[in-house]
Amino acid sequence: MVVANDLSSKILPRVLIVSRRTLRKNKYVDFVGEYHLDLIVSSGAVPVIVPRVNGIHSMLQSFEPIHGVLLCEGEDVDPSLYADAESSGLSPEDMEEIKKVHAEDMTIDREKDSIELTLARLCLERNIPFLGICRGSQILNVAAGGTLYQDIDKELGTTTTTTKHIDYDNYDGHRHEARIVEETPLHKLFEEMEIKVNSYHHQGVKRLAQRFVPMAYAPDGLIEGFYDPNRYDPKEGQFLMGLQFHPERMRLSGSDEFDYPGCALVYQEFVKAAIAFQKKQVSAAQMEMKRKTTTLVKSFSQAEFLEANTVLSKQQENRLQQMGATVRNSCVYMKRMKRKEEQERAMDKFSAERLSDLLSFHHMMARLCSDAIKRKLLEPEATDRTIESSFFLSY
């Protein structure tokens, strides 16, 4: 855990979290559970809340730089995003029954789906650290090409005597067993082969996307955790994991103490990856800046593109005459004109990007010179008098 005082002088990595909305006093309010925020902050990163509002999915590039993405709870993922109506085998009567039991969760939020799927795919494409909790793990699986059970009880045949995945009467206190797969990140974080996890869902992973490997199973066979083995190395900025349970809420009754140390470690390892990813991004940016600076310096070296040419062309002779060159001063005109023409030819060979860099360099030098002149003009009058006296003495 990172102490707050140690963070004051650091530029911390940014972890994006999409909000969830709820109806309060007849209007929608966006929120994110504080347990997530506390764990991100205490682990050494800055949580950046992405509001679940219309149109935000097309503005996500404005949230750059992104060093990590945490997706957590929410409503059911729109089934049309991963399967057709027939694939579930659920009848209209089944769907009506499910709605009666899970009315709040079955309210589809297409805007949130769009925002979170865009972010998940961005993480998959750019190797940005990603942690999915509950719905977030389902979004990750769908983004990578997997599918979901629209209702575990109906499709998997789970009963309350085997595994109960949601208990509205004992919401936070309910637990069920989860068997952890050996030699997986979850095994290393919890250091146990079997744990009791909380459960707040009626959907879950049906077909796991090909790139992922299971880390834990419920007694009924439902996948409770998965990861990408080719994208898991927190020290190197790699983290791609989905957990169906909520480690942030697995706490002893009436206490903030976690059921297992591994609950907090999940977030700490995720933030560790975000920090390493940020360092890599900064290093890459510095190397690119160095490369551009080197290229810029080389661009000003006339030795690279000027060629000796002492023979005047007909066009050069005509221009010399138009400029009023005489036998006495034609050599000076010739040298100036030749240098200008060669520089123009060299500039024509540059790409638009190179010319833009040159222009930026000149603007920067202009600002530096302007600042230097201002400093000179603002020097104490005593200094001016000394300089003035020295000038007259030397004169």
Side-chain angles (χ1 to χ4, degrees):
M1 184 176 293
V2 181
V3 181
N5 292 337
D6 296 336
L7 306 179
S8 58
S9 62
K10 298 179 181 178
I11 302 299
L12 302 176
R14 295 156 50 91
V15 173
L16 268 56
I17 309 175
V18 181
S19 67
R20 182 182 184 180
R21 72 175 182 176
T22 187
L23 195 61
R24 183 174 183 270
K25 295 182 179 179
N26 297 319
K27 63 181 179 181
Y28 284 116
V29 176
D30 279 33
F31 71 97
V32 174
E34 281 196 11
Y35 279 155
H36 298 294
L37 303 178
D38 287 341
L39 285 163
I40 293 298
V41 170
S42 64
S43 297
V46 174
V48 178
I49 298 177
V50 179
R52 178 253 150 272
V53 293
N54 294 333
I56 208 73
H57 67 272
S58 62
M59 303 167 60
L60 291 176
Q61 61 182 8
S62 298
F63 286 87
E64 299 276 5
I66 303 171
H67 305 119
V69 171
L70 167 66
L71 298 185
C72 36
E73 61 271 347
E75 295 80 4
D76 291 353
V77 180
D78 186 353
S80 66
L81 296 171
Y82 58 85
D84 55 30
E86 289 75 24
S87 64
S88 66
L90 297 174
S91 66
E93 292 76 20
D94 288 332
M95 295 303 296
E96 284 301 319
E97 186 178 341
I98 296 167
K99 285 181 181 179
K100 290 179 181 178
V101 179
H102 309 288
E104 184 178 346
D105 288 338
M106 290 193 69
T107 304
I108 301 300
D109 187 343
R110 289 183 174 83
E111 187 65 26
K112 184 175 174 69
D113 287 346
S114 178
I115 296 169
E116 295 191 339
L117 279 171
T118 300
L119 285 173
R121 286 166 180 154
L122 183 69
C123 291
L124 292 172
E125 292 169 6
R126 289 170 44 182
N127 295 334
I128 299 172
F130 180 100
L131 174 60
I133 303 295
C134 196
R135 169 192 156 97
S137 68
Q138 297 171 10
I139 284 285
L140 177 60
N141 187 50
V142 171
T147 63
L148 306 176
Y149 289 112
Q150 291 187 47
D151 186 77
I152 298 169
D153 290 350
K154 293 291 184 182
E155 293 186 69
L156 192 57
T158 299
T159 65
T160 55
T161 57
T162 55
T163 306
K164 194 173 186 178
H165 288 283
I166 192 165
D167 186 347
Y168 290 109
D169 296 327
N170 186 23
Y171 201 66
D172 272 326
H174 174 63
R175 301 283 190 273
H176 68 69
E177 294 179 352
R179 178 176 56 84
I180 295 179
V181 180
E182 194 172 2
E183 298 302 320
T184 61
L186 207 59
H187 179 225
K188 294 176 181 177
L189 291 171
F190 282 83
E191 297 183 337
E192 296 192 36
M193 294 302 298
E194 191 174 282
I195 60 175
K196 288 187 177 295
V197 299
N198 51 14
S199 195
Y200 309 95
H201 61 104
H202 78 102
Q203 296 192 321
V205 171
K206 184 175 184 179
R207 177 174 56 80
L208 189 63
Q210 189 173 1
R211 66 186 294 163
F212 298 128
V213 173
M215 293 192 298
Y217 293 94
D220 58 7
L222 187 74
I223 295 174
E224 289 285 337
F226 60 87
Y227 79 116
D228 184 342
N230 297 316
R231 280 274 311 280
Y232 187 85
D233 189 350
K235 291 181 180 179
E236 293 298 321
Q238 299 185 44
F239 193 103
L240 192 55
M241 178 185 292
L243 300 177
Q244 184 58 70
F245 59 94
H246 285 258
E248 83 285 357
R249 296 178 68 159
M250 288 171 54
R251 308 189 183 220
L252 301 178
S253 180
S255 169
D256 279 339
E257 185 180 349
F258 288 105
D259 292 357
Y260 307 92
C263 295
L265 288 177
V266 170
Y267 285 80
Q268 291 169 20
E269 290 298 292
F270 167 61
V271 171
K272 181 190 293 184
I275 293 171
F277 183 81
Q278 179 197 33
K279 288 180 179 178
K280 283 189 173 184
Q281 277 198 325
V282 171
S283 178
Q286 290 174 341
M287 289 180 66
E288 179 65 12
M289 181 63 71
K290 184 178 180 181
R291 182 190 69 79
K292 286 187 175 182
T293 303
T294 302
T295 304
L296 198 61
V297 172
K298 287 183 179 179
S299 299
F300 281 90
S301 175
Q302 294 186 8
E304 288 192 354
F305 54 76
L306 293 183
E307 297 177 356
N309 180 16
T310 58
V311 180
L312 287 176
S313 66
K314 189 65 178 176
Q315 184 183 13
Q316 288 173 326
E317 289 179 357
N318 292 337
R319 289 181 63 182
L320 279 172
Q321 291 175 359
Q322 292 170 2
M323 294 166 64
T326 63
V327 173
R328 183 180 60 183
N329 64 12
S330 62
C331 183
V332 176
Y333 278 115
M334 180 195 72
K335 289 180 179 179
R336 289 178 181 174
M337 190 167 55
K338 175 186 173 183
R339 182 165 59 250
K340 182 178 179 182
E341 289 175 348
E342 289 175 332
Q343 289 175 341
E344 287 176 351
R345 287 199 301 272
M347 296 294 284
D348 289 339
K349 296 179 181 179
F350 289 173
S351 65
E353 183 181 4
R354 178 73 66 82
L355 291 172
S356 177
D357 288 339
L358 287 171
L359 183 62
S360 299
F361 179 80
H362 280 296
H363 286 168
M364 179 185 72
M365 293 303 296
R367 288 196 302 271
L368 292 174
C369 291
S370 176
D371 292 342
I373 291 172
K374 289 178 181 178
R375 288 196 299 272
K376 291 291 183 181
L377 294 175
L378 293 175
E379 286 180 355
E381 292 183 1
T383 303
D384 291 339
R385 287 196 296 271
T386 302
I387 295 174
E388 187 177 357
S389 300
S390 300
F391 173 79
F392 282 112
L393 285 173
S394 61
Y395 184 80

